[in-house]
Amino acid sequence: MKKQTHFSRMKILLLLIFVPAILLAQETITGKVVIEGSGVGASFINVVEDGTSNGTATDIDGNFTLSVSSLPVNIKVFALGFAEKVVSVSSTDAITITIAESSEALDEVVVTGLATSVKRSNAANAVASVSAEELAGLTPPQTLDGALAGKFAGALITKSSGAPGGGIAVKLRGVTSINGNSQPLYIVDGVYVNNSSIAAAGLNAVSGAAGGGNASNQDNPSNRIADINPDDIESLEILKGASAAAIYGARAAAGVIIITTKKGKRGKTKISFSQDVGFNTILRARGQRNFTAATAEALGAGNGALFTAAQNNGTLVDFEDEIYGEKGFISNTSVNISGGSENTLFYAAFSNNEEDGIVKNTGYDRKSIRFNLDHDFFDKKAKLSLTTNYINSEGDRGFFNNDNTGTTIGVALSSTPPWAQLSPDANGNYPDNPFGSSNPLQTRDLITNRENVNRFIVGSSLDVKLYENDNSNLKLVLRGGVDYYELLTTAIFPEILQFQKPSNGGLNGLVATGTTENKDANYSAFLVHNYTTSNDLSFTTQAGLTKQTFSRNTIRNTTSDLIASQTNLDQGANVSVTQFRQEQEDQGFFVQEELNYQDKIIGTLGVRGDKSNNNGDANELFYYPKASAAVNLHSFDFWNIDAVNQFKIRAAYGEAGNFAPNGALFTAYTNSLIDGNVGIVVPATLGDPDITPERQKEFEVGFDASFLESRISLEFSYYNKTVDDLILQANTEPSSGFGTRFANAGNLENRGVEIALNATIVEKEDFNWSSNLIFFTNESEITKLDVAPFNLGGFGAGLGTFRIEEGKSATQIVGNDANGNLVELGDSAPDFQMTWSNNISFKDFTLSFLWHWKQGGDNINLTNLLTDFGGTSPDYDDFDVDPAGATSNGPFRIGAFRAGNATPFVEDASYLRLREIGLYYNLPSKLREQVFGKYVSNLKIGFSGNNLINVFDYNSYDPEVSNFGSNGLSTGVEVTPFPSSKRYLFHLAVDF
């Protein structure tokens, strides 16, 4: 009885609300909403009397009927994925309203589940979005991950190498692992895309940068996400923390970047062509020491006379300019064709990107072919989507960074004075460098360090409407994807190189090749049910199964002591082979419930369960829950603040995992051969089959607000992210027979604030100005450590190193001070980051720019020390390092090194940088039609640049640097890197 009484009261209440509105309605408007280009009826489009809540929605064929109190009236038509439109209606005659599909409108949709999304205004997480225009529309980036710098809050992006196509580290909301994966998971059109960094074969066998001669991340391999062409991307969504990324479970602790590529649109076929040409130059040269005969003589007897003779003869050489002074040519060509009919959409694209480096014989070329197809069938009850991408790339990155043999170009350059004569003679013969182990010009000109990639990425999805009525529907979603690539690395060091000559202790030539075959596949199936009650309470339920397989096989062959300048692997006396194989299979499920009450209160509750053969127990399920809630206060009747047209508060919690690194679960024995007898060697590190994945837990709160009719918007988020069960490699008891062991032995916490302010400053017919300001911070702390504090990364306490210690920052840098005490010298994490972007248009001109300010964060700068040893440091004779002012910089740093004092090598890495700037001109339509007729629908020309203005006190090429590659904790260590560059580009874009 109580239930019946309740429903009776609800009926009376509904009558009281709606009957007066019905009685007052005097006019009825009928019409149809169609999609621009195709004329197809647009289903379920909102049709509302502008400025009121009086509205309806179109039916399956796009028809609608709306009652209004009087005419004329303005009707607003809008829906997700379409540009909003307002039309004036002055009669009751049937009308047709045409609306256009809009990628900008799609930016307002964010992912909430593996098969669902939600309007951004209802999202309970701070999910960052980057549009195609923001990503690559201002200035074409070298690589996708490099294009993300400064575009959203919460990311620390660091280059491992300034070489074109070089590796880049992306860290979202701080450090998420000490020894495990620290790079986000990338999903492209539903396909899990591999982003491994696989070092080239053979470089470490020459440089000795890491022990054992095996491939080393100090060789700065590229990231495989660099293969993705940024021009193909429609939008990105960045799930920065576990509260959003929990839907991806055991692989999401470092965050998730979801990429959607471009699709066709209904209507006339469109062809677009663009061509960019330009060049790059060194971002900032260090310069060279201002030598005199006396300072030259101090480098060794006779050098004073050599300096004077070269000075008199005009043969002094700026070897830094000789090596890094090239203007690398840049050419980007892109052609795409897209279109579609009522049931089929297609998009096809070809791009060719070529960029030479600022060092001769370096560069990066990438060719990409893409074809995307969408087809509706069974009267639009089913939709099939297919995405395909083939990439071929080639990169030459020279021979740089750390080495222990003095052979890399940067290290050799550090001890080479300007009077050295290193150029080849008329027959092409290079002299030995008397000031170092190698002749850097000879190394630059004769070595090969190349990687070639052939890659296929294919994804498909099938959406089928199983059931549908007025207030509920059920949909089946099937997805599958494969990412396959073959990576070939080639290193050739001819025996004629100075450091390869046996008389100089060399290997008499070395050739090394590496082949990596990688195949990843993912499959999933979901059921999604939507149900809406009579009082506009909607439920979205989804449940599904997932499976991923990962397979990698890397073989490296190295041959030394070559025969007669041969480069075949079998043409050498010493041959060695190594192989790495990895097979992994993950399975899981996902269940989620989303509730939405009239867009006022939105809640989500879900759980992901994953198991993997990469766990000690392959059948054990690990569960990753999530929960979130958002309240749109402005949607309630009590809200009466006219100046604030949106105010949403939100809170979210989630958990995500991180697998144990390779070698942590089991003790991998190696082989030995002693006097012809094969044996087994016990490694130095003990594995643990009981290790569990690292678990990230994040709580996030915040609010979103907009003011003055949405001309100003503000987003604020605070997060607290903990990582439990850190997998650490710690010292163990010597009696065990092992030096170190893997164990779940600590906890880590990150805390941060993210603020984004957007403003439409001017909005007029011929002049518009919009601006965006982003500010964010992150602080980390090791909150628990079950093993003794330990150092990692860097090169020891005498030069500066990272230290894991309870109660301290996870990125603290420690070292010995002048008294021999181990002290904290800095922290590689910045105090804060801020970006300011602007878009200004005046008539047919558009000016856009992005400033990026990184305050704080320290680097370990060892390039200075190496040039000090060589006596070539630009500031060698200055007096601004010694606190007492008694000793010049070079001798002071050398003295500090010999005393084990790391203080002079840790430097502030703050910077202010004009990351991007672009000025474009769109040819006016009248002039365009006069010149090209109706064949050209748009023509744009322009100029853009990267890193054109850089302000920093850091004493080297660029504060963004990492000797240890893109993975791991130890970014911010510098040892003679390939310098960063500025880029200048000219553009032409034509649409037909």
Side-chain angles (χ1 to χ4, degrees), residues 95 138 355 684 828:
I95 62 172
L138 180 52
E355 181 162 351
S828 66

Side-chain angles (χ1 to χ4, degrees), residues 809-822:
S809 166
T811 51
Q812 70 164 334
I813 299 173
V814 302
N816 296 331
D817 63 11
N819 298 317
N821 300 317
L822 186 68

Side-chain angles (χ1 to χ4, degrees), residues 161 163-164 198-204 218-222 361-363 394-401 408-409 443-452 488-494 512 978:
S161 170
I198 301 172
L203 298 186
N204 194 52
Q218 294 188 57
D219 296 333
N220 285 310
S222 64
N361 301 320
T362 65
E394 179 178 296
D396 291 276
R397 277 185 278 280
F399 189 38
F400 290 90
N401 282 83
T408 63
I409 293 174
T443 304
R444 176 199 64 187
D445 295 342
L446 300 184
I447 71 105
T448 297
N449 173 22
R450 179 174 301 146
E451 75 171 22
N452 296 84
L488 305 176
T489 62
T490 305
I492 302 174
F493 291 84
F978 191 118

Side-chain angles (χ1 to χ4, degrees), residues 851-875:
W851 286 95
H852 187 178
W853 176 15
K854 170 178 167 284
Q855 178 59 43
D858 298 295
N859 287 354
I860 301 173
N861 183 353
L862 300 182
T863 299
N864 277 337
L865 179 61
L866 291 171
T867 55
D868 288 339
F869 281 136
T872 63
S873 298
D875 67 339

Side-chain angles (χ1 to χ4, degrees), residues 475-531:
K475 180 174 68 172
L476 171 67
V477 181
L478 302 176
R479 289 179 183 162
V482 175
D483 177 14
Y484 172 85
Y485 67 81
E486 181 185 56
L487 166 65
L488 305 176
T489 62
T490 305
I492 302 174
F493 291 84
E495 65 268 31
I496 60 174
L497 292 171
Q498 175 181 337
F499 55 89
Q500 285 293 320
K501 296 176 182 177
S503 58
N504 292 330
L507 299 173
N508 197 33
L510 179 141
V511 173
T513 63
T515 302
T516 294
E517 187 177 26
N518 195 96
K519 182 176 70 176
D520 299 345
N522 62 279
Y523 318 91
S524 60
F526 294 93
L527 286 171
V528 181
H529 181 252
N530 294 291
Y531 175 74

Side-chain angles (χ1 to χ4, degrees), residues 751-791:
R751 301 174 300 275
V753 170
E754 298 170 354
I755 302 172
L757 178 65
N758 299 279
T760 301
I761 301 172
V762 179
E763 190 173 29
K764 295 184 178 181
E765 183 177 353
D766 289 335
F767 181 66
N768 292 274
W769 178 13
S770 60
S771 186
N772 170 256
L773 187 68
I774 298 173
F775 173 89
F776 55 102
T777 68
N778 183 84
E779 294 181 356
S780 67
E781 181 183 352
I782 301 294
T783 56
K784 177 184 176 183
L785 194 63
D786 295 333
V787 297
F790 60 94
N791 300 339

